[in-house]
Short mmCIF file of all heavy atoms in Angstrom, two decimals:
data_model
loop_
_atom_site.label_atom_id
_atom_site.label_comp_id
_atom_site.label_asym_id
_atom_site.label_seq_id
_atom_site.Cartn_x
_atom_site.Cartn_y
_atom_site.Cartn_z
N ARG Z 1 -101.94 -3.44 -1.61
CA ARG Z 1 -100.89 -2.41 -1.38
C ARG Z 1 -100.72 -2.13 0.08
O ARG Z 1 -101.70 -2.09 0.86
CB ARG Z 1 -101.29 -1.07 -2.08
CG ARG Z 1 -100.50 0.10 -1.88
CD ARG Z 1 -101.06 1.26 -2.69
NE ARG Z 1 -100.22 2.48 -2.55
CZ ARG Z 1 -100.30 3.57 -3.13
NH1 ARG Z 1 -101.33 3.70 -4.09
NH2 ARG Z 1 -99.71 4.64 -2.98
N ASP Z 2 -99.47 -1.89 0.52
CA ASP Z 2 -99.20 -1.39 1.79
C ASP Z 2 -98.64 -0.02 1.72
O ASP Z 2 -97.55 0.23 1.37
CB ASP Z 2 -98.07 -2.34 2.40
CG ASP Z 2 -97.75 -2.08 3.83
OD1 ASP Z 2 -98.06 -0.87 4.28
OD2 ASP Z 2 -97.28 -2.77 4.63
N ASN Z 3 -99.62 0.90 1.93
CA ASN Z 3 -99.25 2.39 1.72
C ASN Z 3 -97.93 2.81 2.53
O ASN Z 3 -97.28 3.65 2.18
CB ASN Z 3 -100.46 3.22 2.02
CG ASN Z 3 -101.50 3.04 1.07
OD1 ASN Z 3 -101.28 2.83 -0.20
ND2 ASN Z 3 -102.80 3.08 1.46
N ALA Z 4 -98.00 2.37 3.78
CA ALA Z 4 -96.89 2.77 4.66
C ALA Z 4 -95.56 2.25 4.22
O ALA Z 4 -94.52 3.13 4.33
CB ALA Z 4 -97.14 2.20 6.16
N LYS Z 5 -95.53 1.21 3.60
CA LYS Z 5 -94.24 0.70 3.06
C LYS Z 5 -94.06 0.84 1.58
O LYS Z 5 -93.01 0.31 1.06
CB LYS Z 5 -94.07 -0.80 3.53
CG LYS Z 5 -94.09 -0.98 5.04
CD LYS Z 5 -93.86 -2.48 5.49
CE LYS Z 5 -93.78 -2.66 6.92
NZ LYS Z 5 -93.64 -4.03 7.33
N ASN Z 6 -94.99 1.40 0.94
CA ASN Z 6 -94.93 1.64 -0.52
C ASN Z 6 -94.70 0.34 -1.24
O ASN Z 6 -93.71 0.23 -2.10
CB ASN Z 6 -93.92 2.63 -0.90
CG ASN Z 6 -94.37 4.03 -0.56
OD1 ASN Z 6 -95.44 4.52 -0.87
ND2 ASN Z 6 -93.54 4.74 0.26
N THR Z 7 -95.50 -0.72 -0.87
CA THR Z 7 -95.25 -2.12 -1.43
C THR Z 7 -96.49 -2.50 -2.02
O THR Z 7 -97.65 -2.28 -1.48
CB THR Z 7 -94.89 -3.11 -0.21
OG1 THR Z 7 -93.69 -2.74 0.45
CG2 THR Z 7 -94.77 -4.55 -0.80
N VAL Z 8 -96.39 -3.11 -3.28
CA VAL Z 8 -97.59 -3.62 -3.94
C VAL Z 8 -97.38 -5.15 -4.28
O VAL Z 8 -96.25 -5.45 -4.68
CB VAL Z 8 -97.80 -2.79 -5.18
CG1 VAL Z 8 -96.69 -2.82 -6.20
CG2 VAL Z 8 -99.12 -3.21 -5.88
N ILE Z 9 -98.52 -5.91 -4.09
CA ILE Z 9 -98.46 -7.30 -4.37
C ILE Z 9 -99.39 -7.59 -5.40
O ILE Z 9 -100.56 -7.05 -5.47
CB ILE Z 9 -98.81 -8.07 -3.04
CG1 ILE Z 9 -97.92 -7.68 -1.89
CG2 ILE Z 9 -98.78 -9.50 -3.32
CD1 ILE Z 9 -96.50 -8.16 -2.10
N LEU Z 10 -99.05 -8.50 -6.37
CA LEU Z 10 -99.81 -9.02 -7.30
C LEU Z 10 -99.98 -10.53 -7.20
O LEU Z 10 -99.04 -11.21 -7.40
CB LEU Z 10 -99.35 -8.65 -8.83
CG LEU Z 10 -100.25 -9.12 -9.87
CD1 LEU Z 10 -101.66 -8.31 -9.92
CD2 LEU Z 10 -99.67 -8.89 -11.25
N GLN Z 11 -101.12 -10.87 -6.81
CA GLN Z 11 -101.42 -12.34 -6.60
C GLN Z 11 -102.09 -12.95 -7.78
O GLN Z 11 -103.11 -12.52 -8.26
CB GLN Z 11 -102.32 -12.61 -5.41
CG GLN Z 11 -101.84 -12.12 -4.14
CD GLN Z 11 -102.81 -12.28 -2.94
OE1 GLN Z 11 -103.09 -13.50 -2.60
NE2 GLN Z 11 -103.37 -11.24 -2.46
N MET Z 12 -101.30 -13.78 -8.51
CA MET Z 12 -101.83 -14.32 -9.84
C MET Z 12 -102.15 -15.76 -9.68
O MET Z 12 -101.39 -16.56 -9.31
CB MET Z 12 -100.78 -14.13 -10.93
CG MET Z 12 -100.29 -12.73 -11.02
SD MET Z 12 -99.04 -12.53 -12.40
CE MET Z 12 -97.65 -13.58 -11.74
N GLU Z 13 -103.54 -16.02 -9.97
CA GLU Z 13 -103.92 -17.40 -9.96
C GLU Z 13 -104.49 -17.86 -11.28
O GLU Z 13 -104.88 -17.08 -12.10
CB GLU Z 13 -105.07 -17.49 -8.76
CG GLU Z 13 -104.56 -17.13 -7.53
CD GLU Z 13 -105.71 -17.17 -6.40
OE1 GLU Z 13 -106.85 -17.33 -6.84
OE2 GLU Z 13 -105.48 -16.93 -5.26
N SER Z 14 -104.67 -19.14 -11.45
CA SER Z 14 -105.16 -19.67 -12.60
C SER Z 14 -104.41 -19.10 -13.98
O SER Z 14 -105.05 -18.75 -14.89
CB SER Z 14 -106.70 -19.49 -12.78
OG SER Z 14 -107.31 -20.09 -11.71
N LEU Z 15 -103.06 -19.14 -13.79
CA LEU Z 15 -102.36 -18.60 -14.84
C LEU Z 15 -102.58 -19.16 -16.17
O LEU Z 15 -102.67 -20.50 -16.27
CB LEU Z 15 -100.91 -18.56 -14.39
CG LEU Z 15 -100.53 -17.41 -13.43
CD1 LEU Z 15 -99.14 -17.83 -12.80
CD2 LEU Z 15 -100.39 -16.03 -14.14
N LYS Z 16 -102.40 -18.40 -17.21
CA LYS Z 16 -102.66 -18.88 -18.55
C LYS Z 16 -101.42 -18.52 -19.41
O LYS Z 16 -100.62 -17.71 -19.05
CB LYS Z 16 -103.86 -18.21 -19.27
CG LYS Z 16 -105.11 -18.48 -18.47
CD LYS Z 16 -106.18 -17.67 -19.21
CE LYS Z 16 -107.61 -17.83 -18.53
NZ LYS Z 16 -108.71 -17.00 -19.06
N ALA Z 17 -101.15 -19.28 -20.55
CA ALA Z 17 -100.05 -19.05 -21.34
C ALA Z 17 -100.06 -17.51 -21.80
O ALA Z 17 -99.00 -16.99 -22.00
CB ALA Z 17 -100.07 -19.97 -22.67
N GLU Z 18 -101.19 -17.02 -22.02
CA GLU Z 18 -101.28 -15.58 -22.41
C GLU Z 18 -100.82 -14.58 -21.40
O GLU Z 18 -100.61 -13.48 -21.64
CB GLU Z 18 -102.77 -15.27 -22.84
CG GLU Z 18 -103.76 -15.29 -21.68
CD GLU Z 18 -105.14 -15.12 -22.15
OE1 GLU Z 18 -105.54 -15.72 -23.09
OE2 GLU Z 18 -105.94 -14.28 -21.49
N ASP Z 19 -100.60 -15.07 -20.18
CA ASP Z 19 -100.12 -14.16 -19.15
C ASP Z 19 -98.53 -14.13 -19.19
O ASP Z 19 -98.01 -13.26 -18.43
CB ASP Z 19 -100.42 -14.68 -17.75
CG ASP Z 19 -102.01 -14.76 -17.51
OD1 ASP Z 19 -102.63 -13.74 -17.90
OD2 ASP Z 19 -102.58 -15.70 -16.89
N THR Z 20 -97.96 -14.80 -20.05
CA THR Z 20 -96.47 -14.72 -20.21
C THR Z 20 -95.93 -13.42 -20.61
O THR Z 20 -96.62 -12.79 -21.48
CB THR Z 20 -95.96 -15.84 -21.23
OG1 THR Z 20 -96.19 -17.04 -20.67
CG2 THR Z 20 -94.51 -15.63 -21.41
N GLY Z 21 -94.93 -12.84 -19.89
CA GLY Z 21 -94.43 -11.57 -20.27
C GLY Z 21 -93.56 -11.12 -19.26
O GLY Z 21 -93.29 -11.72 -18.16
N VAL Z 22 -92.96 -9.92 -19.46
CA VAL Z 22 -92.09 -9.22 -18.51
C VAL Z 22 -93.05 -8.36 -17.69
O VAL Z 22 -93.69 -7.45 -18.25
CB VAL Z 22 -91.06 -8.43 -19.08
CG1 VAL Z 22 -90.15 -7.78 -18.01
CG2 VAL Z 22 -90.10 -9.35 -19.88
N TYR Z 23 -93.10 -8.52 -16.40
CA TYR Z 23 -93.98 -7.64 -15.60
C TYR Z 23 -93.18 -6.51 -14.94
O TYR Z 23 -92.17 -6.76 -14.40
CB TYR Z 23 -94.63 -8.58 -14.45
CG TYR Z 23 -95.78 -9.41 -15.03
CD1 TYR Z 23 -95.57 -10.48 -15.90
CD2 TYR Z 23 -97.12 -9.10 -14.68
CE1 TYR Z 23 -96.57 -11.18 -16.44
CE2 TYR Z 23 -98.06 -9.90 -15.21
CZ TYR Z 23 -97.84 -11.00 -16.06
OH TYR Z 23 -98.89 -11.71 -16.55
N PHE Z 24 -93.69 -5.34 -15.06
CA PHE Z 24 -93.00 -4.21 -14.46
C PHE Z 24 -93.98 -3.55 -13.42
O PHE Z 24 -95.18 -3.41 -13.61
CB PHE Z 24 -92.80 -3.14 -15.58
CG PHE Z 24 -91.92 -3.58 -16.64
CD1 PHE Z 24 -92.43 -4.26 -17.74
CD2 PHE Z 24 -90.53 -3.40 -16.68
CE1 PHE Z 24 -91.66 -4.67 -18.89
CE2 PHE Z 24 -89.77 -3.84 -17.66
CZ PHE Z 24 -90.23 -4.45 -18.71
N CYS Z 25 -93.26 -3.10 -12.34
CA CYS Z 25 -93.88 -2.35 -11.26
C CYS Z 25 -93.83 -0.95 -11.62
O CYS Z 25 -92.76 -0.47 -12.02
CB CYS Z 25 -93.29 -2.71 -9.99
SG CYS Z 25 -94.16 -1.93 -8.49
N ASN Z 26 -94.86 -0.17 -11.37
CA ASN Z 26 -94.94 1.21 -11.61
C ASN Z 26 -95.55 2.08 -10.32
O ASN Z 26 -96.58 1.52 -9.72
CB ASN Z 26 -95.71 1.52 -12.84
CG ASN Z 26 -95.96 3.06 -13.08
OD1 ASN Z 26 -96.87 3.67 -12.59
ND2 ASN Z 26 -94.93 3.66 -13.69
N ALA Z 27 -94.98 3.11 -10.00
CA ALA Z 27 -95.51 3.90 -8.93
C ALA Z 27 -95.63 5.45 -9.44
O ALA Z 27 -94.66 5.95 -9.90
CB ALA Z 27 -94.62 3.96 -7.74
N LYS Z 28 -96.84 5.91 -9.36
CA LYS Z 28 -97.08 7.23 -9.72
C LYS Z 28 -97.45 8.19 -8.63
O LYS Z 28 -98.07 7.79 -7.66
CB LYS Z 28 -98.35 7.27 -10.72
CG LYS Z 28 -98.21 6.66 -12.02
CD LYS Z 28 -99.61 6.76 -12.84
CE LYS Z 28 -99.33 6.10 -14.26
NZ LYS Z 28 -100.58 6.29 -15.04
N VAL Z 29 -96.92 9.40 -8.67
CA VAL Z 29 -97.06 10.38 -7.58
C VAL Z 29 -98.42 11.15 -8.00
O VAL Z 29 -99.03 11.80 -7.09
CB VAL Z 29 -95.92 11.25 -7.52
CG1 VAL Z 29 -94.83 10.55 -6.90
CG2 VAL Z 29 -95.54 12.08 -8.65
N THR Z 30 -98.74 11.31 -9.21
CA THR Z 30 -100.06 11.89 -9.71
C THR Z 30 -100.65 11.02 -10.66
O THR Z 30 -100.19 10.07 -11.20
CB THR Z 30 -99.81 13.31 -10.26
OG1 THR Z 30 -99.14 13.14 -11.51
CG2 THR Z 30 -98.90 14.21 -9.38
N SER Z 31 -101.98 11.40 -11.05
CA SER Z 31 -102.76 10.76 -11.91
C SER Z 31 -102.29 10.69 -13.38
O SER Z 31 -102.54 9.78 -14.13
CB SER Z 31 -104.18 11.17 -11.81
OG SER Z 31 -104.27 12.50 -12.23
N THR Z 32 -101.40 11.67 -13.65
CA THR Z 32 -100.95 11.89 -14.96
C THR Z 32 -99.45 11.59 -15.20
O THR Z 32 -98.96 11.70 -16.35
CB THR Z 32 -101.27 13.26 -15.55
OG1 THR Z 32 -100.73 14.22 -14.72
CG2 THR Z 32 -102.83 13.55 -15.59
N SER Z 33 -98.71 11.51 -14.18
CA SER Z 33 -97.30 11.20 -14.32
C SER Z 33 -96.98 9.88 -14.81
O SER Z 33 -97.71 8.92 -14.68
CB SER Z 33 -96.62 11.50 -12.95
OG SER Z 33 -97.02 10.45 -11.97
#
């Protein structure tokens, strides 16, 4: 994560067929939101 730019990166290695899906990014302002 780059906090200053509110950017998050997911590095995925050794991918498997079970990793298939739609990936969604999420950003929370509190722990419960």
Side-chain angles (χ1 to χ4, degrees):
R1 174 177 179 175
D2 184 337
N3 290 324
K5 297 181 178 180
N6 291 305
T7 300
V8 62
I9 303 295
L10 184 66
Q11 302 176 66
M12 305 186 293
E13 300 178 354
S14 301
L15 283 162
K16 305 175 180 179
E18 66 185 47
D19 295 318
T20 293
V22 180
Y23 284 67
F24 298 89
C25 183
N26 175 266
K28 294 182 177 180
V29 295
T30 71
S31 62
T32 58
S33 68

